[in-house]
Amino acid sequence: MTGCRRPAFPMPKFFRKKTPAVVFGLFLFLLVLFAFGYLFLAQLPVLAVASERGPVLYLPLAKGETFSLTYVHSVQKTPVWENFSLGEG
């Protein structure tokens, strides 16, 4: 045969035909890859607590989630609880 060479690395038979299982497997792989990329690269809202020296705490919050701050009032010397939630805006 002239002009017809055998490939150095022949493809496995599994990849030669575009069977529904191969197409579905490739689709599923790409879907999982996209989902992981979205989860790890998406910007999530966080509460950032900082001092003069820099960030102290990052607390991830979901929409509607609540958190509380507790401290002692400097003048009245009584405990104070403040409740906050993440909302629109």
Side-chain angles (χ1 to χ4, degrees):
M1 289 194 238
T2 59
C4 185
R5 291 181 22 181
R6 257 185 129 174
F9 300 103
M11 290 181 71
K13 289 182 182 180
F14 181 75
F15 292 110
R16 287 185 194 162
K17 296 181 181 179
K18 302 283 190 273
T19 63
V22 172
V23 173
F24 179 73
L26 183 60
F27 173 75
L28 191 60
F29 173 75
L30 292 174
L31 183 66
V32 168
L33 186 66
F34 176 76
F36 276 116
Y38 178 77
L39 288 175
F40 290 111
L41 298 177
Q43 293 182 354
L44 301 174
V46 296
L47 170 67
V49 179
S51 69
E52 295 83 24
R53 290 180 268 157
V56 177
L57 171 72
Y58 289 106
L59 181 64
L61 293 173
K63 185 177 174 182
E65 192 172 357
T66 62
F67 64 96
S68 300
L69 294 178
T70 305
Y71 59 93
V72 176
H73 195 279
S74 62
V75 175
Q76 297 175 347
K77 306 295 184 205
T78 57
V80 178
W81 290 272
E82 294 189 53
N83 300 312
F84 301 91
S85 67
L86 180 64
E88 292 292 329

Coordinates of all heavy atoms in Angstrom, one line a residue:
M1 N 0.8 -1.2 0.0 CA 0.0 0.0 0.0 C 0.9 1.2 0.0 O 1.7 1.4 0.8 CB -0.9 0.0 1.2 CG -2.0 -1.0 1.3 SD -3.1 -0.5 2.5 CE -3.0 -2.0 3.5
T2 N 0.6 2.1 -0.9 CA 1.4 3.3 -1.0 C 0.6 4.5 -0.3 O -0.6 4.6 -0.5 CB 1.7 3.7 -2.4 OG1 0.5 3.8 -3.1 CG2 2.6 2.6 -3.1
G3 N 1.3 5.3 0.4 CA 0.7 6.5 1.1 C -0.2 6.2 2.3 O -0.8 7.0 2.8
C4 N -0.2 4.9 2.7 CA -1.0 4.6 3.9 C -0.1 4.1 5.0 O 0.5 3.0 4.8 CB -2.1 3.5 3.5 SG -3.2 3.2 4.8
R5 N 0.0 4.8 6.0 CA 0.8 4.4 7.1 C 0.0 4.1 8.4 O -1.1 4.7 8.6 CB 1.8 5.5 7.5 CG 2.8 5.8 6.4 CD 3.8 6.9 6.8 NE 3.9 7.1 8.2 CZ 4.6 8.0 8.8 NH1 5.4 8.8 8.0 NH2 4.7 8.2 10.1
R6 N 0.5 3.2 9.1 CA -0.1 2.9 10.4 C 0.2 3.9 11.4 O 1.4 4.4 11.5 CB 0.4 1.5 10.9 CG -0.5 0.4 10.7 CD 0.0 -0.8 11.3 NE -1.0 -1.3 12.2 CZ -1.0 -2.4 12.8 NH1 0.1 -3.1 12.8 NH2 -2.0 -2.8 13.5
P7 N -0.7 4.4 12.3 CA -0.4 5.4 13.3 C 0.6 4.8 14.3 O 0.5 3.6 14.6 CB -1.7 5.8 13.9 CG -2.6 4.7 13.5 CD -2.1 4.0 12.3
A8 N 1.4 5.7 14.9 CA 2.4 5.2 15.9 C 1.7 4.8 17.1 O 2.1 3.8 17.8 CB 3.4 6.3 16.2
F9 N 0.6 5.5 17.5 CA -0.1 5.1 18.7 C -1.6 5.0 18.3 O -2.3 5.9 18.3 CB 0.0 6.2 19.8 CG 1.4 6.4 20.2 CD1 2.2 7.5 19.7 CD2 2.0 5.5 21.1 CE1 3.5 7.7 20.1 CE2 3.3 5.7 21.5 CZ 4.0 6.8 21.0
P10 N -2.0 3.8 18.0 CA -3.4 3.6 17.5 C -4.4 3.9 18.7 O -4.1 3.6 19.8 CB -3.5 2.1 17.1 CG -2.3 1.5 17.7 CD -1.3 2.5 18.0
M11 N -5.5 4.4 18.3 CA -6.5 4.7 19.3 C -7.2 3.4 19.8 O -7.4 2.5 19.0 CB -7.6 5.7 18.8 CG -7.1 7.1 18.6 SD -8.4 8.1 17.9 CE -9.5 8.2 19.4
P12 N -7.5 3.3 21.1 CA -8.3 2.1 21.5 C -9.6 2.0 20.8 O -10.2 3.1 20.4 CB -8.5 2.3 23.0 CG -7.4 3.4 23.4 CD -7.2 4.2 22.1
K13 N -10.1 0.8 20.7 CA -11.4 0.6 20.0 C -12.5 1.4 20.7 O -13.5 1.8 20.0 CB -11.8 -0.8 19.9 CG -10.9 -1.6 19.0 CD -11.3 -3.1 19.0 CE -10.4 -3.9 18.1 NZ -10.8 -5.3 18.0
F14 N -12.4 1.6 22.0 CA -13.5 2.3 22.7 C -13.7 3.7 22.2 O -14.8 4.2 22.2 CB -13.1 2.3 24.2 CG -14.1 3.0 25.1 CD1 -15.3 2.4 25.4 CD2 -13.9 4.3 25.6 CE1 -16.2 3.0 26.2 CE2 -14.8 4.9 26.4 CZ -16.0 4.2 26.7
F15 N -12.6 4.4 21.7 CA -12.7 5.8 21.3 C -13.0 5.9 19.8 O -13.2 7.0 19.3 CB -11.5 6.5 21.7 CG -11.3 6.7 23.1 CD1 -10.3 6.1 23.8 CD2 -12.2 7.6 23.8 CE1 -10.2 6.3 25.2 CE2 -12.1 7.8 25.2 CZ -11.1 7.1 25.9
R16 N -12.9 4.8 19.0 CA -13.0 4.9 17.6 C -14.5 5.2 17.2 O -14.7 6.0 16.3 CB -12.6 3.6 16.9 CG -11.1 3.5 17.0 CD -10.6 2.3 16.2 NE -9.2 2.0 16.6 CZ -8.7 0.8 16.4 NH1 -9.3 -0.2 15.8 NH2 -7.4 0.6 16.7
K17 N -15.4 4.6 17.8 CA -16.8 4.8 17.5 C -17.4 5.8 18.5 O -17.2 5.7 19.7 CB -17.6 3.5 17.5 CG -17.1 2.6 16.4 CD -17.9 1.3 16.4 CE -17.4 0.3 15.4 NZ -18.2 -0.9 15.4
K18 N -18.3 6.7 18.1 CA -19.0 7.6 18.9 C -20.3 6.9 19.4 O -21.3 7.3 19.0 CB -19.3 8.9 18.2 CG -18.1 9.6 17.6 CD -17.4 10.3 18.7 CE -16.3 11.3 18.2 NZ -15.0 10.7 18.0
T19 N -20.1 6.0 20.3 CA -21.3 5.3 20.9 C -22.0 6.2 21.9 O -21.4 7.2 22.4 CB -20.9 4.0 21.6 OG1 -20.0 4.4 22.7 CG2 -20.1 3.1 20.7
P20 N -23.2 6.0 22.1 CA -23.9 6.8 23.1 C -23.3 6.8 24.5 O -23.3 7.8 25.2 CB -25.3 6.2 23.2 CG -25.5 5.5 21.9 CD -24.2 5.1 21.5
A21 N -22.7 5.7 24.9 CA -22.0 5.6 26.2 C -20.8 6.5 26.2 O -20.5 7.2 27.2 CB -21.6 4.2 26.5
V22 N -20.0 6.6 25.1 CA -18.9 7.5 25.0 C -19.3 9.0 25.1 O -18.7 9.8 25.8 CB -18.0 7.2 23.8 CG1 -16.9 8.3 23.6 CG2 -17.4 5.8 23.8
V23 N -20.3 9.3 24.3 CA -20.8 10.7 24.3 C -21.4 11.1 25.7 O -21.1 12.1 26.2 CB -21.9 10.8 23.2 CG1 -22.5 12.2 23.3 CG2 -21.3 10.6 21.8
F24 N -22.1 10.2 26.3 CA -22.7 10.4 27.6 C -21.6 10.6 28.6 O -21.6 11.5 29.5 CB -23.7 9.4 28.0 CG -24.2 9.6 29.4 CD1 -25.2 10.6 29.6 CD2 -23.8 8.8 30.5 CE1 -25.7 10.8 30.8 CE2 -24.3 9.0 31.7 CZ -25.3 10.0 31.9
G25 N -20.6 9.7 28.6 CA -19.4 9.8 29.5 C -18.7 11.1 29.4 O -18.3 11.7 30.4
L26 N -18.4 11.5 28.1 CA -17.7 12.8 27.9 C -18.6 14.0 28.4 O -18.1 14.9 29.1 CB -17.4 13.0 26.4 CG -16.7 14.2 26.0 CD1 -15.3 14.2 26.7 CD2 -16.5 14.3 24.5
F27 N -19.9 13.9 28.2 CA -20.8 15.0 28.6 C -20.8 15.0 30.2 O -20.7 16.1 30.8 CB -22.2 14.7 28.1 CG -23.2 15.7 28.7 CD1 -23.3 17.0 28.3 CD2 -24.1 15.2 29.7 CE1 -24.2 17.9 28.8 CE2 -25.0 16.1 30.2 CZ -25.1 17.4 29.8
L28 N -20.9 13.9 30.8 CA -20.9 13.8 32.3 C -19.6 14.3 32.8 O -19.5 15.1 33.8 CB -21.1 12.4 32.7 CG -21.4 12.2 34.2 CD1 -22.7 12.9 34.6 CD2 -21.6 10.7 34.5
F29 N -18.4 13.9 32.2 CA -17.1 14.4 32.7 C -17.1 16.0 32.6 O -16.6 16.6 33.5 CB -16.0 13.8 31.9 CG -14.7 14.3 32.1 CD1 -14.0 14.0 33.3 CD2 -14.1 15.2 31.3 CE1 -12.7 14.5 33.6 CE2 -12.8 15.7 31.5 CZ -12.2 15.4 32.7
L30 N -17.5 16.5 31.5 CA -17.4 18.0 31.3 C -18.4 18.7 32.3 O -18.1 19.8 32.8 CB -17.8 18.3 29.9 CG -16.7 17.9 28.8 CD1 -17.2 18.2 27.4 CD2 -15.4 18.6 29.1
L31 N -19.5 18.1 32.5 CA -20.5 18.6 33.5 C -19.9 18.7 34.9 O -20.0 19.7 35.6 CB -21.8 17.9 33.5 CG -22.9 18.4 34.3 CD1 -23.4 19.7 33.8 CD2 -24.1 17.4 34.4
V32 N -19.3 17.6 35.3 CA -18.7 17.6 36.6 C -17.5 18.6 36.7 O -17.3 19.3 37.7 CB -18.2 16.1 37.0 CG1 -17.3 16.1 38.2 CG2 -19.4 15.2 37.2
L33 N -16.7 18.6 35.7 CA -15.6 19.6 35.6 C -16.1 21.0 35.7 O -15.5 21.8 36.5 CB -14.8 19.4 34.3 CG -13.5 20.2 34.2 CD1 -12.5 19.7 35.2 CD2 -13.0 20.0 32.8
F34 N -17.2 21.3 35.0 CA -17.7 22.7 35.1 C -18.3 23.0 36.5 O -18.1 24.1 37.0 CB -18.8 22.8 34.0 CG -19.6 24.1 34.1 CD1 -19.0 25.3 33.6 CD2 -20.8 24.2 34.7 CE1 -19.6 26.5 33.7 CE2 -21.5 25.4 34.7 CZ -20.9 26.6 34.3
A35 N -19.0 22.0 37.1 CA -19.6 22.2 38.4 C -18.5 22.5 39.5 O -18.6 23.4 40.3 CB -20.4 21.0 38.8
F36 N -17.4 21.7 39.4 CA -16.3 21.9 40.4 C -15.7 23.3 40.1 O -15.3 24.0 41.1 CB -15.2 20.9 40.3 CG -15.5 19.6 41.1 CD1 -15.8 18.4 40.5 CD2 -15.6 19.7 42.5 CE1 -16.1 17.3 41.2 CE2 -15.9 18.6 43.2 CZ -16.1 17.4 42.6
G37 N -15.5 23.7 38.9 CA -14.9 25.0 38.6 C -15.8 26.1 39.0 O -15.3 27.1 39.6
Y38 N -17.1 26.0 38.9 CA -18.0 27.0 39.4 C -18.0 27.1 40.9 O -18.0 28.2 41.4 CB -19.5 26.7 38.9 CG -20.5 27.7 39.3 CD1 -20.6 28.9 38.7 CD2 -21.3 27.4 40.4 CE1 -21.5 29.9 39.2 CE2 -22.2 28.3 40.8 CZ -22.3 29.5 40.2 OH -23.2 30.5 40.7
L39 N -18.0 26.0 41.6 CA -18.0 26.0 43.0 C -16.8 26.6 43.6 O -16.8 27.4 44.6 CB -18.2 24.6 43.6 CG -19.5 24.0 43.4 CD1 -19.5 22.5 43.9 CD2 -20.6 24.7 44.2
F40 N -15.6 26.4 43.0 CA -14.4 26.9 43.5 C -14.0 28.2 43.0 O -13.2 28.9 43.6 CB -13.2 25.9 43.3 CG -13.4 24.6 44.1 CD1 -13.7 23.4 43.5 CD2 -13.3 24.7 45.5 CE1 -13.9 22.3 44.3 CE2 -13.4 23.5 46.3 CZ -13.7 22.3 45.7
L41 N -14.5 28.7 41.9 CA -14.1 29.9 41.3 C -15.2 31.0 41.5 O -14.9 32.2 41.2 CB -13.8 29.8 39.9 CG -12.6 28.9 39.6 CD1 -12.4 28.7 38.1 CD2 -11.3 29.3 40.2
A42 N -16.4 30.6 41.9 CA -17.5 31.6 42.0 C -17.2 32.5 43.2 O -16.6 32.1 44.2 CB -18.8 30.9 42.2
Q43 N -17.6 33.7 43.2 CA -17.5 34.6 44.3 C -18.6 34.5 45.2 O -19.8 34.6 44.9 CB -17.4 36.1 43.8 CG -16.2 36.4 42.9 CD -16.2 37.8 42.5 OE1 -17.1 38.6 42.7 NE2 -15.1 38.2 41.9
L44 N -18.3 34.1 46.5 CA -19.3 33.9 47.5 C -19.2 35.1 48.5 O -18.2 35.6 48.8 CB -19.0 32.6 48.3 CG -18.9 31.4 47.4 CD1 -18.5 30.2 48.3 CD2 -20.3 31.1 46.9
P45 N -20.4 35.5 49.0 CA -20.4 36.6 50.0 C -19.7 36.2 51.3 O -20.0 35.1 51.8 CB -21.9 37.0 50.1 CG -22.6 35.8 49.7 CD -21.7 35.1 48.7
V46 N -18.9 37.1 51.8 CA -18.3 36.8 53.1 C -18.3 38.1 54.0 O -18.4 39.2 53.5 CB -16.8 36.4 53.0 CG1 -16.6 35.1 52.2 CG2 -16.0 37.5 52.3
L47 N -18.3 37.8 55.3 CA -18.2 38.9 56.3 C -16.7 38.9 56.6 O -16.1 38.0 57.0 CB -19.0 38.6 57.5 CG -18.8 39.5 58.7 CD1 -19.3 40.9 58.4 CD2 -19.4 38.9 60.0
A48 N -16.1 40.1 56.4 CA -14.7 40.3 56.7 C -14.5 41.1 57.9 O -15.0 42.3 57.9 CB -14.0 40.9 55.5
V49 N -13.9 40.6 58.9 CA -13.6 41.4 60.1 C -12.1 41.7 60.1 O -11.3 40.9 59.9 CB -13.9 40.6 61.4 CG1 -13.6 41.4 62.7 CG2 -15.4 40.1 61.4
A50 N -11.8 43.0 60.3 CA -10.4 43.5 60.2 C -10.1 44.4 61.3 O -10.9 45.0 62.0 CB -10.2 44.2 58.9
S51 N -8.8 44.5 61.6 CA -8.3 45.4 62.6 C -7.3 46.3 61.9 O -7.1 46.3 60.6 CB -7.6 44.7 63.7 OG -6.4 44.0 63.3
E52 N -6.6 47.1 62.6 CA -5.6 48.0 62.0 C -4.4 47.2 61.4 O -3.8 47.7 60.4 CB -4.9 49.0 63.1 CG -5.9 49.9 63.7 CD -6.7 49.3 64.8 OE1 -6.2 48.3 65.4 OE2 -7.8 49.8 65.1
R53 N -4.2 46.0 61.8 CA -3.1 45.2 61.3 C -3.5 44.3 60.1 O -2.7 43.7 59.5 CB -2.6 44.3 62.4 CG -1.8 45.1 63.5 CD -1.3 44.2 64.6 NE -2.3 44.1 65.6 CZ -2.5 43.2 66.5 NH1 -1.7 42.1 66.5 NH2 -3.4 43.2 67.4
G54 N -4.8 44.3 59.8 CA -5.2 43.6 58.6 C -6.4 42.7 58.9 O -7.0 42.8 60.0
P55 N -6.8 41.8 58.0 CA -7.9 40.9 58.2 C -7.7 40.0 59.4 O -6.6 39.4 59.6 CB -8.0 40.1 56.9 CG -7.0 40.6 56.0 CD -6.1 41.6 56.8
V56 N -8.8 39.8 60.2 CA -8.8 38.9 61.3 C -9.6 37.6 61.0 O -9.2 36.5 61.4 CB -9.3 39.6 62.6 CG1 -9.4 38.7 63.8 CG2 -8.5 40.8 62.9
L57 N -10.7 37.8 60.4 CA -11.7 36.7 60.2 C -12.5 36.9 58.9 O -12.9 38.0 58.6 CB -12.7 36.7 61.4 CG -13.9 35.7 61.3 CD1 -13.4 34.3 61.4 CD2 -14.9 36.1 62.4
Y58 N -12.6 35.8 58.2 CA -13.5 35.8 57.0 C -14.6 34.7 57.3 O -14.3 33.5 57.5 CB -12.8 35.4 55.7 CG -11.8 36.4 55.2 CD1 -10.5 36.3 55.4 CD2 -12.3 37.6 54.6 CE1 -9.6 37.3 54.9 CE2 -11.5 38.6 54.2 CZ -10.1 38.4 54.3 OH -9.3 39.4 53.9
L59 N -15.9 35.1 57.3 CA -17.0 34.2 57.6 C -17.9 34.1 56.4 O -18.5 35.1 56.0 CB -17.7 34.8 58.8 CG -18.9 34.0 59.3 CD1 -18.5 32.6 59.8 CD2 -19.7 34.7 60.4
P60 N -17.9 33.0 55.7 CA -18.8 32.9 54.5 C -20.2 32.9 55.0 O -20.6 32.2 55.9 CB -18.4 31.5 53.9 CG -17.6 30.8 54.9 CD -17.1 31.8 55.9
L61 N -21.1 33.6 54.3 CA -22.5 33.7 54.6 C -23.3 33.4 53.4 O -23.0 33.9 52.3 CB -22.8 35.1 55.1 CG -22.2 35.5 56.4 CD1 -22.5 37.0 56.7 CD2 -22.8 34.7 57.5
A62 N -24.4 32.7 53.6 CA -25.4 32.5 52.5 C -26.5 33.6 52.7 O -26.7 34.1 53.7 CB -26.0 31.1 52.6
K63 N -27.2 33.8 51.6 CA -28.3 34.8 51.6 C -29.4 34.4 52.6 O -29.8 33.3 52.7 CB -28.9 34.9 50.2 CG -30.0 36.0 50.1 CD -30.5 36.1 48.7 CE -31.6 37.0 48.6 NZ -32.2 37.0 47.2
G64 N -29.7 35.3 53.5 CA -30.7 35.0 54.6 C -30.1 34.5 55.8 O -30.8 34.3 56.9
E65 N -28.8 34.1 55.8 CA -28.2 33.5 57.0 C -27.9 34.6 58.0 O -27.6 35.8 57.7 CB -26.8 32.9 56.6 CG -26.2 32.1 57.7 CD -25.0 31.3 57.2 OE1 -24.7 31.4 56.0 OE2 -24.4 30.6 58.0
T66 N -28.0 34.3 59.3 CA -27.9 35.3 60.4 C -26.6 35.0 61.2 O -26.1 33.9 61.2 CB -29.0 35.3 61.4 OG1 -29.1 34.0 62.0 CG2 -30.3 35.6 60.6
F67 N -26.1 36.1 61.8 CA -25.0 36.0 62.8 C -25.1 37.0 63.9 O -25.9 38.0 63.7 CB -23.6 36.1 62.0 CG -23.4 37.5 61.4 CD1 -22.7 38.5 62.1 CD2 -23.9 37.8 60.2 CE1 -22.5 39.7 61.6 CE2 -23.7 39.0 59.6 CZ -23.0 40.0 60.3
S68 N -24.5 36.8 65.0 CA -24.6 37.7 66.1 C -23.3 38.2 66.6 O -22.3 37.5 66.5 CB -25.3 36.9 67.3 OG -26.6 36.5 67.0
L69 N -23.3 39.4 67.1 CA -22.1 40.0 67.7 C -22.5 40.3 69.2 O -23.6 40.8 69.5 CB -21.7 41.3 67.1 CG -21.2 41.2 65.6 CD1 -20.9 42.6 65.1 CD2 -20.0 40.3 65.6
T70 N -21.6 39.9 70.1 CA -21.8 40.1 71.5 C -20.6 40.9 72.1 O -19.5 40.5 71.8 CB -21.9 38.7 72.2 OG1 -23.0 38.0 71.6 CG2 -22.3 38.9 73.7
Y71 N -20.9 41.9 72.9 CA -19.9 42.7 73.5 C -20.4 43.3 74.8 O -21.6 43.3 75.0 CB -19.3 43.7 72.5 CG -20.4 44.7 72.0 CD1 -20.6 45.9 72.7 CD2 -21.1 44.4 70.9 CE1 -21.5 46.8 72.2 CE2 -22.1 45.3 70.4 CZ -22.3 46.5 71.1 OH -23.2 47.4 70.6
V72 N -19.6 43.9 75.6 CA -19.9 44.6 76.8 C -19.9 46.1 76.5 O -18.9 46.7 75.9 CB -19.0 44.3 77.9 CG1 -19.4 45.1 79.2 CG2 -19.0 42.8 78.3
H73 N -21.1 46.8 76.7 CA -21.2 48.2 76.5 C -20.2 49.0 77.3 O -20.0 48.7 78.5 CB -22.6 48.7 76.8 CG -23.0 50.0 76.3 ND1 -22.6 51.2 76.9 CD2 -23.7 50.4 75.2 CE1 -23.0 52.2 76.2 NE2 -23.7 51.7 75.2
S74 N -19.5 49.9 76.7 CA -18.4 50.6 77.3 C -18.8 51.6 78.4 O -18.1 51.8 79.4 CB -17.6 51.4 76.3 OG -18.4 52.4 75.7
V75 N -20.1 52.1 78.4 CA -20.5 53.1 79.4 C -21.4 52.3 80.4 O -21.2 52.5 81.6 CB -21.3 54.2 78.7 CG1 -21.9 55.1 79.8 CG2 -20.4 55.0 77.8
Q76 N -22.4 51.6 80.0 CA -23.3 50.9 80.9 C -22.8 49.6 81.5 O -23.4 49.1 82.4 CB -24.7 50.7 80.2 CG -25.3 52.0 79.7 CD -26.6 51.7 78.9 OE1 -26.8 50.5 78.5 NE2 -27.4 52.7 78.7
K77 N -21.7 49.1 80.9 CA -21.1 47.9 81.4 C -22.1 46.7 81.4 O -22.0 45.8 82.3 CB -20.5 48.0 82.8 CG -19.5 49.2 82.9 CD -18.3 48.9 82.0 CE -17.3 50.1 82.2 NZ -16.4 50.3 81.1
T78 N -23.0 46.7 80.4 CA -23.9 45.6 80.3 C -23.7 44.8 79.0 O -23.2 45.4 78.0 CB -25.4 46.1 80.3 OG1 -25.5 47.0 79.2 CG2 -25.7 46.8 81.6
P79 N -24.0 43.5 79.0 CA -23.8 42.8 77.7 C -24.8 43.2 76.6 O -26.0 43.5 76.9 CB -24.0 41.3 78.1 CG -24.8 41.3 79.4 CD -24.5 42.7 80.0
V80 N -24.3 43.3 75.4 CA -25.2 43.7 74.3 C -25.1 42.6 73.2 O -24.0 42.1 72.9 CB -24.7 45.0 73.7 CG1 -25.5 45.4 72.5 CG2 -24.7 46.1 74.7
W81 N -26.2 42.1 72.7 CA -26.3 41.2 71.6 C -26.9 41.9 70.4 O -28.0 42.4 70.5 CB -27.1 40.0 71.9 CG -26.5 39.1 73.0 CD1 -25.7 38.0 72.8 CD2 -26.7 39.2 74.4 NE1 -25.3 37.5 73.9 CE2 -26.0 38.1 75.0 CE3 -27.4 40.0 75.2 CZ2 -25.9 37.9 76.3 CZ3 -27.4 39.8 76.6 CH2 -26.6 38.8 77.1
E82 N -26.2 41.8 69.3 CA -26.7 42.4 68.0 C -26.8 41.3 67.0 O -25.8 40.5 66.8 CB -25.8 43.5 67.5 CG -25.8 44.7 68.4 CD -25.0 45.9 67.7 OE1 -25.4 46.2 66.6 OE2 -24.1 46.4 68.3
N83 N -28.0 41.1 66.4 CA -28.2 40.1 65.4 C -28.3 40.7 64.0 O -28.9 41.8 63.8 CB -29.5 39.4 65.7 CG -29.5 38.7 67.0 OD1 -28.5 38.0 67.3 ND2 -30.5 38.9 67.8
F84 N -27.6 40.1 63.0 CA -27.5 40.6 61.7 C -27.9 39.5 60.7 O -27.7 38.3 61.1 CB -26.1 41.1 61.3 CG -25.7 42.2 62.2 CD1 -25.0 42.0 63.4 CD2 -26.0 43.5 61.9 CE1 -24.5 43.0 64.2 CE2 -25.5 44.6 62.7 CZ -24.8 44.3 63.9
S85 N -28.3 39.8 59.5 CA -28.6 38.8 58.5 C -28.1 39.4 57.1 O -28.2 40.6 56.9 CB -30.0 38.4 58.4 OG -30.8 39.4 58.0
L86 N -27.7 38.5 56.2 CA -27.3 38.9 54.9 C -28.6 39.0 54.0 O -29.3 38.1 53.9 CB -26.4 37.9 54.3 CG -25.8 38.2 52.9 CD1 -25.0 39.5 52.9 CD2 -25.0 37.1 52.4
G87 N -28.8 40.2 53.5 CA -30.0 40.4 52.6 C -29.6 41.1 51.3 O -28.4 41.2 51.0
E88 N -30.6 41.5 50.6 CA -30.3 42.2 49.3 C -29.7 43.6 49.6 O -30.0 44.2 50.6 CB -31.7 42.4 48.6 CG -32.3 41.2 48.1 CD -31.5 40.5 47.0 OE1 -30.9 41.2 46.2 OE2 -31.5 39.3 46.9
G89 N -28.9 44.0 48.7 CA -28.4 45.4 48.7 C -27.1 45.4 49.4 O -26.4 46.3 49.6

